[in-house]
Amino acid sequence: MARITVRGVSEIRGPIIIIEGVTGIRMGEYLEVNLPNKPSRKGRVLAIEEERVIILLYQGTYELEKDEIETEFFGRTMQLFVAEDMIGRVFNSQGEPLDGLPSIYSDEYRDINGSPINPTSRIYPRDYIETGISSIDSMNTLVRGQKLPIFTGAGLPNNLLIGQIVKQARIAGAEGADKFAIVFGAMGLTMDDYIYFQRLFEETGTLNKVVMFSNLASDSAAERLITPRVALTTAEYLAFDKGYHVLVILSDITNYCQALREISVALETVPSRKGFPGYMYSDLASIYERAGIIEDSKGSITLLANLTMPNDDITHPIADLTGYITEGQIILDRSMHNRGIYPPIDVLGSLSRLMKDGIGEGYTRKDHPSLSNQLYASYAEGLDKRRLAEVIGKKELNRRDQILYEFADKFEDNFVNQGDNYRSIVDSLNLGWSLLSNLPETELTKVSEDLILEHIKNKGADSD
Amino acid sequence: MPHSAKERARIVTIKGSTVEVRGLSSYRMGEITYVGEEKLIGEIIEIERNFATVQVYEPLEGLKINDPVYPTGKSLSAELGPGLLSNIFDGIQRPLEQIKKILSSSFIQRGIHINALDRYKNWLFEPNKDLTKGHLVKGGDVLGSVQETETIKSNIIVPPNTNGELLSIQEKGEFKITDPIVELKGSDKEKKELTLMHEWPVRVARPFLKKLPVSEPLVTGQRIIDMFFPITKGGTAAIPGGFGTGKTILQHQLSKWSNADVVIYIGCGERGNEMTDVLREFPKLVDPHTQNPLMDRTLLIANVSNMPVAAREASIYMGITMAEFYRDQGFNVLLTADSTSRWAEALREIAGQLEEMPVEEGYPAYLGARLANFYERAGQVVTIGSPYREGSINITAAISPPGGDFSEPVTANTKRFVKTFWGLDSNLANRKHFPSIDWLNSYSGYIKVIEEWALEANLEDWGRYRQEMFTILQKDDELQHIAELIGSKALPADEQLIILVADIIKEGFLQQNAFDKIDSFCPIEKQMKMMKLMLLFYNRAEVLIKNGCPISLIIGLKTVQILKRMKEDVQNDNIIQMNKIEDYIHTDMEELGSKYGYKV
Ligand SMILES: Nc1ncnc2c1ncn2[C@@H]1O[C@H](COP(=O)(O)OP(=O)(O)OP(=O)(O)O)[C@@H](O)[C@H]1O
Ligand SMILES: [Mg+2]
């Protein structure tokens, strides 16, 4: 498509420039602003009003000369060249190499915004991923093709947890396990965190399986809006064209949303809650919904995302809207963390919506669904008793309440708290039963008599 | 003077999901307009002097100023006729399976023009024997029927607002959806041909003869709904709840198990996988009321969260229009929409692009009016046309309040227009108490109606059981507050009994596991029996307590566990087993009594 070049702009406002008196410009098109002796800046057409073109510049407008700059419109949307040799490489948000190696040359390129998957083409995800972490595998099972954020707070060990998952994760029925890749989208990450992930990939020997897209805290905020999109475009190519099982890690969604707010304020859109734009739900959905599995393709995209809740507030719009889109969430709990429990997973607040079809007979183990229901229920009751004891004192609890109180403690200390160790899913389930064996049988209302017989009564007899 | 028709209509502004257009030869609100070379589908939503704003149902990338715009003279309409059921459509009624075939891609591309109904498929039409040449027919009259799916025999009706003298009607035979089956002579002496299908503008409610008061429950097989907060055929209900509280699962449950004739499920701005889940699961399920495949009565609209936002706005109207079409044939329709908040947000987004003045949390002033309009299209009616038919639409819609806070505009406005309110509670959901309908904060406006119905259905105990259970739950709530301060140990035995029985009710009755083979659907007879047994347990234990029996002996009874588990342990039709449990209760209580010398 013919390129159009224009000199000068009429307005500069935050990351936005406005060019007037130009025709033939396309909505959403990609452009570059050329500066003398400096790298060019990239942008996107956000709106066109007659001969006024409103443009977002990803690298901002600092030091732009109103009448000097030259804008080159490409006549197409932003594209990313994709290839299998991206694996093992590090790029910035535009897909330019940051590792000193040459650029990617490929015949294949993709629009970074992708297209929605036809719901009739999706395969419903059912194969669980064993993470080796009890509170995930037994209570909030992760499934291949799922999108699952980690709701965390400042200073909580969410990165450690992701690290542990990367180290330990095994995919059930891992046919073609060699076709595994990680796509990492760093969005406004601090240098420390960035280095942590780089080390993690080195130490786990996955570095040669990772494609990294890096937008650090010091990089431009506007550019952050494209980081997850280039990451997912790459993931789609690897998963759906090349058959890889791709784990996409995005960190941190909160930084992304703040960038989104910044831009929307510059555009003077009507804000909804806390100044975030009303379209944030749709915008986030256009990222998260790219995870999944489709027909006629061997690969899959599983998405894990860090989301730091401002002030640990789960009702904050970023966490809230995310929860409404993703297929569950893992919540980290500050008070458990303060008590030295690792991973400090809030088992009850967390949720895996795809768990229901990924567990049980033929998937994990027959007893898994009712066992986890019993553990949730007894743990929830135990926490009630803990709250009660805080008011009336533990001694005032009746016998039943005391037993439940102690169950909650044991559940946290022995089941949730597992440190940096790997536990197979079978070990986790068995551990669950052994905790339940501390409860009187009248409390076991979520599990059938047969299961009680099999996993508690006969077990006890065996070990005697 | 109207401006010259030769001036080419063209785009002058592109912004968000709307374009501004100039140079149309006429400007009509709601007119469908094709935008750009690819003829993207749009609808005129605002007119100012000689500009029109068009909301476009597809992404706008690549459009330029001065790109052509093509008026169609039509309003946004639904195609109505056999072939809708067991199908899945996008928000503007494009069939998604067909889109997949045409594109041979798993992804949706824009600019596809495709009919909702298959033009090549043959349907066996059976004419209405009562019609003969010369007959005067009018809108709603039944011309004949077509077996649309194994379950549903569709009436082919004269479109509303159409009438004339019957010139000819086809014999029984196979016809395509656009083949003429009837010829009419209109009052204007013009000949008209009618086919198996017709079109209807989705923003206009289809006419009916008169509204009737609702009279029958929509039986859902979900205990807390059927017994505590029932809905009716033709009724309305809202399901507000924070994320993960169980709105979608509940709507799936209603779509699977309720005794509606036709179910229309609108996935409005929600997850792609949830639609896939329905597509994957429903064809394997059997309707417990008719034993027919469930998919045969189901129609899906999927405008998932990453599909264009304007089409999300349209999807609700598409759905309700198709619901009215089946109502007009004489069916009881359940329309369930997940989630109306996403629809309201689409309204908000488009209002923002029109620079309309926002009122509350950015929503336009007409939010309430649009909601009212939507819920008004529910109801039980006498349809137009002959023979006499009644049909109904029940609207049950999810709301996704930000932060789970019910005071926000969409929930607050919806409350004004729906009769039943199932408030989902995050605390219950967190402890995996599902459905997480908060029994203290929910209500049904249909209790009176159902009470009357229950009398006739030989369920005369329904009202009493319900009241007794409610009383226990309410007392329990008060006692819980006290127990939180002093511990339940310090409560008198009769109050501890209430806490115990409330616990049995909560766990054994209110909680219902959607993923359990048996528990997922609970027939009314079993629901009633379960209530009966729980209340029997309470009444007998109460007597023991009055006579000095310590509560600990009652808490320790095996029947407590049995009562909590009978929903999953006892097959739904196993009345013998339920009767046995009744015997256990008697035996247990009598044993306690005789062993310890308490009066029973
Ligand atoms: N009746 C039920 N039985 C068992 N589990 C349930 C039931 N209802 C809900 N759940 C559990 O709760 C989870 C969340 O339910 P659901 O997806 O319906 O929530 P939602 O309110 O629609 O959330 P969102 O607003 O984010 O879409 C389910 O994945 C399931 O694990
Ligand atoms: Mg939902």
Side-chain angles (χ1 to χ4, degrees):
Chain A
M1 219 156 274
R3 296 190 185 180
I4 295 174
T5 304
V6 185
R7 181 178 284 278
V9 301
S10 62
E11 267 179 59
I12 304 180
R13 186 185 340 130
I16 308 289
I17 59 173
I18 295 174
I19 298 182
E20 287 181 357
V22 47
T23 54
I25 304 304
R26 291 172 184 276
M27 179 68 168
E29 94 174 78
Y30 173 73
L31 56 96
E32 289 181 5
V33 170
N34 299 316
L35 306 168
N37 310 322
K38 287 212 182 103
S40 64
R41 298 187 193 178
K42 280 97 183 160
R44 169 183 161 94
V45 174
L46 292 183
I48 315 173
E49 296 164 357
E50 305 252 23
E51 296 189 344
R52 258 165 73 87
V53 181
I54 297 156
I55 292 165
L56 170 66
L57 285 189
Y58 294 124
Q59 290 84 15
T61 53
Y62 188 62
E63 290 191 321
L64 287 195
E65 269 274 355
K66 178 171 174 289
D67 300 320
E68 293 302 308
I69 59 172
E70 201 180 74
T71 308
E72 188 176 359
F73 294 91
F74 279 58
R76 56 158 174 85
T77 54
M78 184 166 174
Q79 289 164 343
L80 180 74
F81 283 96
V82 285
E84 266 182 285
D85 15 314
M86 292 172 87
I87 300 176
R89 303 284 311 271
V90 183
F91 305 94
N92 68 11
S93 297
Q94 289 116 49
E96 296 163 348
L98 291 178
D99 50 9
L101 296 170
S103 299
I104 295 293
Y105 285 100
S106 170
D107 302 335
E108 305 254 12
Y109 51 85
R110 298 279 185 273
D111 179 338
I112 64 161
N113 294 308
S115 301
I117 298 176
N118 189 324
T120 64
S121 301
R122 281 186 187 266
I123 304 276
Y124 195 75
R126 298 197 73 168
D127 295 327
Y128 73 96
I129 298 177
E130 187 186 62
T131 65
I133 296 165
S134 299
S135 42
I136 296 179
D137 292 348
S138 337
M139 309 300 286
N140 294 290
T141 319
L142 176 63
V143 173
R144 188 160 70 190
Q146 184 165 17
K147 40 188 179 284
L148 198 69
I150 299 175
F151 286 5
T152 181
L156 295 180
N158 50 299
N159 285 339
L160 271 184
L161 179 63
I162 289 193
Q164 198 175 353
I165 294 174
V166 168
K167 259 183 251 169
Q168 299 180 351
R170 260 166 249 195
I171 295 168
E175 85 292 345
D178 52 330
K179 279 251 184 186
F180 172 72
I182 295 175
V183 175
F184 183 73
M187 303 184 291
L189 227 53
T190 61
M191 204 50 177
D192 281 355
D193 285 343
Y194 182 72
I195 291 172
Y196 167 84
F197 278 106
Q198 223 167 10
R199 287 243 173 85
L200 170 75
F201 298 136
E202 274 166 25
E203 281 164 15
T204 52
T206 40
L207 202 54
N208 61 348
K209 297 195 172 182
V210 181
V211 189
M212 255 218 254
F213 291 97
S214 157
N215 165 280
L216 298 186
S218 51
D219 291 331
S220 113
E223 203 174 277
R224 217 155 284 162
L225 299 186
I226 47 180
T227 321
R229 296 188 164 84
V230 291
L232 283 154
T233 303
T234 310
E236 277 173 358
Y237 174 74
L238 294 175
F240 304 142
D241 289 39
K242 296 292 162 192
Y244 283 80
H245 291 303
V246 183
L247 174 66
V248 176
I249 302 171
L250 298 178
S251 185
D252 187 310
I253 295 289
T254 302
N255 297 336
Y256 172 86
C257 291
Q258 271 154 357
L260 195 70
R261 175 169 64 180
E262 202 177 311
I263 307 307
S264 78
V265 168
L267 287 169
E268 294 169 3
T269 46
V270 183
S272 74
R273 284 173 66 220
K274 292 213 157 94
F276 289 92
Y279 55 76
M280 190 154 88
Y281 175 84
S282 304
D283 188 277
L284 285 173
S286 75
I287 297 173
Y288 293 126
E289 276 287 318
R290 291 172 80 171
I293 309 177
I294 58 175
E295 291 172 349
D296 308 324
S297 162
K298 287 209 186 80
S300 64
I301 299 179
T302 309
L303 195 159
L304 285 181
N306 267 325
L307 187 157
T308 304
M309 298 180 282
N311 301 317
D312 293 354
D313 176 10
I314 195 167
T315 67
H316 186 283
I318 298 174
D320 193 50
L321 292 179
T322 293
Y324 274 121
I325 303 165
T326 52
E327 284 147 350
Q329 66 279 338
I330 301 285
I331 303 180
L332 300 191
D333 179 72
R334 191 171 298 282
S335 78
M336 276 168 113
H337 175 65
N338 292 343
R339 276 181 283 137
I341 293 171
Y342 174 84
I345 293 179
D346 168 3
V347 169
L348 296 182
S350 301
L351 168 69
S352 165
R353 293 166 197 261
L354 300 185
M355 171 175 177
K356 65 181 172 83
D357 290 300
I359 64 169
E361 199 159 12
Y363 292 87
T364 54
R365 211 168 75 179
K366 187 179 78 187
D367 55 314
H368 190 167
S370 34
L371 169 65
S372 53
N373 281 340
Q374 185 66 58
L375 288 169
Y376 291 131
S378 301
Y379 178 49
E381 284 214 58
L383 292 183
D384 290 347
K385 304 313 169 197
R386 185 187 286 170
R387 269 187 297 274
L388 181 58
E390 276 162 18
V391 182
I392 62 172
K394 192 180 166 194
K395 278 196 228 90
E396 291 303 310
L397 295 179
N398 64 29
R399 177 128 174 74
R400 168 175 186 260
D401 291 359
Q402 282 193 11
I403 292 173
L404 286 165
Y405 176 105
E406 276 155 20
F407 175 83
D409 279 355
K410 284 196 195 119
F411 182 78
E412 288 178 359
D413 293 342
N414 303 333
F415 190 87
V416 180
N417 186 25
Q418 74 176 79
D420 200 16
N421 305 310
Y422 163 82
R423 264 188 219 146
S424 76
I425 196 155
V426 171
D427 287 347
S428 292
L429 296 176
N430 291 345
L431 182 57
W433 280 110
S434 92
L435 286 172
L436 288 182
S437 67
N438 294 314
L439 294 176
E441 207 189 314
T442 43
E443 291 299 324
L444 303 182
T445 49
K446 306 274 181 193
V447 286
S448 70
E449 289 211 33
D450 292 350
L451 287 178
I452 296 178
L453 212 59
E454 185 180 339
H455 292 280
I456 296 185
K457 291 193 179 151
N458 291 349
K459 272 277 149 51
D462 287 351
S463 53
D464 280 350
Chain B
M1 227 188 62
H3 34 242
S4 120
K6 284 201 190 84
E7 190 193 349
R8 201 172 56 102
R10 59 190 183 85
I11 297 176
V12 294
T13 299
I14 311 167
K15 192 170 159 190
S17 56
T18 59
V19 296
E20 238 173 62
V21 173
R22 186 175 216 163
L24 290 169
S25 55
S26 66
Y27 292 84
R28 184 166 62 80
M29 276 298 267
E31 178 165 351
I32 288 295
T33 313
Y34 295 150
V35 174
E37 308 286 1
E38 284 176 88
K39 300 200 167 169
L40 307 180
I41 301 167
E43 179 182 1
I44 296 183
I45 55 168
E46 192 175 76
I47 298 168
E48 201 184 325
R49 290 191 306 269
N50 49 351
F51 289 96
T53 304
V54 177
Q55 71 172 357
V56 185
Y57 296 122
E58 307 189 75
L60 297 181
E61 268 79 23
L63 289 181
K64 304 192 298 296
I65 301 305
N66 287 337
D67 274 356
V69 171
Y70 310 93
T72 64
K74 280 190 177 181
S75 301
L76 181 65
S77 299
E79 288 192 358
L80 303 171
L84 293 174
L85 293 176
S86 23
N87 233 322
I88 176 166
F89 301 96
D90 76 358
I92 52 171
Q93 215 197 12
R94 287 178 298 197
L96 288 168
E97 295 279 2
Q98 287 310 109
I99 290 184
K100 176 163 78 178
K101 276 196 203 122
I102 291 173
L103 293 170
S104 37
S105 161
S106 299
F107 296 89
I108 298 175
Q109 249 81 73
R110 66 179 189 185
I112 298 179
H113 289 255
I114 178 173
N115 296 316
L117 294 172
D118 188 342
R119 295 295 191 267
Y120 298 101
K121 185 169 169 138
N122 279 313
W123 298 94
L124 183 64
F125 170 72
E126 275 192 71
N128 178 354
K129 287 277 175 287
D130 298 338
L131 292 182
T132 48
K133 195 169 172 322
H135 219 103
L136 288 179
V137 296
K138 57 187 183 320
D141 284 359
V142 174
L143 298 171
S145 64
V146 157
Q147 194 71 41
E148 183 172 358
T149 61
E150 227 175 281
T151 324
I152 297 293
K153 188 169 195 172
S154 284
N155 281 323
I156 304 301
I157 56 177
V158 179
N161 311 333
T162 304
N163 50 48
E165 181 190 332
L166 189 78
L167 296 179
S168 69
I169 180 163
Q170 295 283 1
E171 299 281 305
K172 178 171 176 174
E174 300 231 319
F175 297 95
K176 297 193 174 59
I177 201 120
T178 46
D179 291 340
I181 50 157
V182 159
E183 227 182 11
L184 294 184
K185 188 165 75 185
S187 47
D188 48 7
K189 304 278 182 260
E190 288 280 313
K191 270 193 194 166
K192 263 187 249 173
E193 284 177 342
L194 301 183
T195 61
L196 294 178
M197 64 162 282
H198 64 271
E199 289 184 39
W200 187 263
V202 298
R203 297 189 194 277
V204 181
R206 285 168 67 91
F208 48 83
L209 198 63
K210 74 171 191 210
K211 266 213 174 158
L212 297 171
V214 296
S215 59
E216 253 184 71
L218 187 76
V219 176
T220 66
Q222 311 304 300
R223 289 183 293 269
I224 186 164
I225 294 175
D226 291 342
M227 294 293 126
F228 278 38
F229 308 109
I231 44 174
T232 60
K233 292 175 177 164
T236 49
I239 318 175
F243 63 79
T245 50
K247 299 179 293 296
T248 303
I249 301 281
L250 188 56
Q251 285 177 302
H252 284 193
Q253 290 293 90
L254 299 184
S255 308
K256 285 178 194 168
W257 307 131
S258 65
N259 64 345
D261 304 316
V262 169
V263 173
I264 297 184
Y265 184 101
I266 311 177
C268 175
E270 293 290 310
R271 301 173 185 81
N273 270 331
E274 290 172 348
M275 301 312 294
T276 312
D277 196 15
V278 174
L279 285 174
R280 173 189 68 109
E281 201 187 2
F282 277 37
K284 293 185 218 148
L285 297 174
V286 169
D287 179 347
H289 308 280
T290 63
Q291 315 308 321
N292 284 315
L294 214 49
M295 204 58 201
D296 277 8
R297 65 164 200 189
T298 310
L299 184 168
L300 304 173
I301 297 179
N303 211 87
V304 300
S305 57
N306 61 340
M307 283 158 77
V309 70
R312 201 190 288 168
E313 192 271 335
S315 66
I316 292 284
Y317 295 98
M318 272 299 162
I320 190 75
T321 303
M322 293 195 259
E324 286 171 341
F325 172 61
Y326 285 97
R327 174 203 68 190
D328 291 347
Q329 296 176 42
F331 292 114
N332 294 308
V333 183
L334 165 66
L335 176 127
T336 167
D338 187 15
S339 146
T340 50
S341 293
R342 307 301 165 220
W343 169 50
E345 285 163 11
L347 277 185
R348 174 170 73 184
E349 210 168 312
I350 293 155
Q353 287 162 19
L354 297 179
E355 289 170 15
E356 286 172 7
M357 184 67 126
V359 287
E360 245 181 309
E361 293 187 22
Y363 287 106
Y366 47 77
L367 172 68
R370 294 280 168 92
L371 284 167
N373 253 317
F374 172 56
Y375 285 104
E376 265 305 297
R377 291 173 79 169
Q380 168 110 22
V381 306
V382 178
T383 69
I384 53 170
S386 66
Y388 178 90
R389 300 182 302 278
E390 289 179 14
S392 70
I393 300 173
N394 174 301
I395 299 184
T396 293
I399 307 174
S400 318
D405 173 6
F406 291 178
S407 65
E408 58 91 38
V410 181
T411 317
N413 274 300
T414 303
K415 256 185 146 166
R416 293 161 48 206
F417 311 119
V418 298
K419 276 270 177 84
T420 298
F421 187 84
W422 301 320
L424 303 191
D425 180 65
S426 305
N427 290 322
L428 289 175
N430 274 355
R431 43 189 319 141
K432 315 288 169 188
H433 173 121
F434 289 115
S436 67
I437 296 175
D438 178 355
W439 51 92
L440 297 171
N441 196 12
S442 300
Y443 55 82
S444 163
Y446 302 114
I447 302 298
K448 274 253 149 57
V449 178
I450 306 290
E451 245 162 13
E452 280 165 29
W453 169 85
L455 281 181
E456 280 173 33
N458 291 326
L459 299 170
E460 55 283 342
D461 292 326
W462 176 76
R464 187 167 55 84
Y465 287 172
R466 176 178 189 273
Q467 198 47 55
E468 283 178 25
M469 273 200 165
F470 238 133
T471 312
I472 294 171
L473 288 170
Q474 262 155 353
K475 277 199 201 141
D476 170 69
D477 183 57
E478 290 159 22
L479 293 174
Q480 292 290 355
H481 289 302
I482 302 171
E484 267 166 33
L485 298 173
I486 60 170
S488 57
K489 215 164 70 171
L491 294 175
D494 59 336
E495 295 187 343
Q496 289 193 49
L497 177 66
I498 290 197
I499 292 185
L500 172 70
V501 176
D503 187 48
I504 294 174
I505 296 174
K506 284 184 236 171
E507 196 177 329
F509 192 83
L510 299 181
Q511 286 187 30
Q512 189 166 356
N513 187 350
F515 312 132
D516 185 84
K517 268 209 179 71
I518 296 176
D519 201 25
S520 188
F521 169 78
C522 188
I524 291 282
E525 300 70 33
K526 184 173 175 187
Q527 299 187 26
M528 290 287 291
K529 187 79 184 182
M530 288 173 75
M531 287 174 110
K532 182 177 172 193
L533 296 186
M534 290 177 181
L535 291 168
L536 174 73
F537 176 88
Y538 174 61
N539 292 330
R540 297 222 54 178
E542 205 182 13
V543 178
L544 283 175
I545 296 275
K546 275 209 185 103
N547 287 285
C549 174
I551 183 78
S552 59
L553 292 181
I554 292 173
I555 291 178
L557 287 175
K558 178 82 180 158
T559 31
V560 172
Q561 214 182 345
I562 294 175
L563 285 173
K564 284 183 177 177
R565 285 203 53 83
M566 61 188 169
K567 57 181 180 176
E568 292 180 5
D569 283 348
V570 183
Q571 289 291 343
N572 283 336
D573 52 1
N574 193 344
I575 302 180
I576 300 174
Q577 188 58 30
M578 293 301 277
N579 288 338
K580 266 196 200 151
I581 295 177
E582 188 165 352
D583 294 342
Y584 294 153
I585 296 172
H586 288 298
T587 323
D588 266 5
M589 298 292 174
E590 272 149 30
E591 235 178 65
L592 263 186
S594 59
K595 207 149 130 204
Y596 297 92
Y598 308 121
K599 258 194 235 142
V600 288

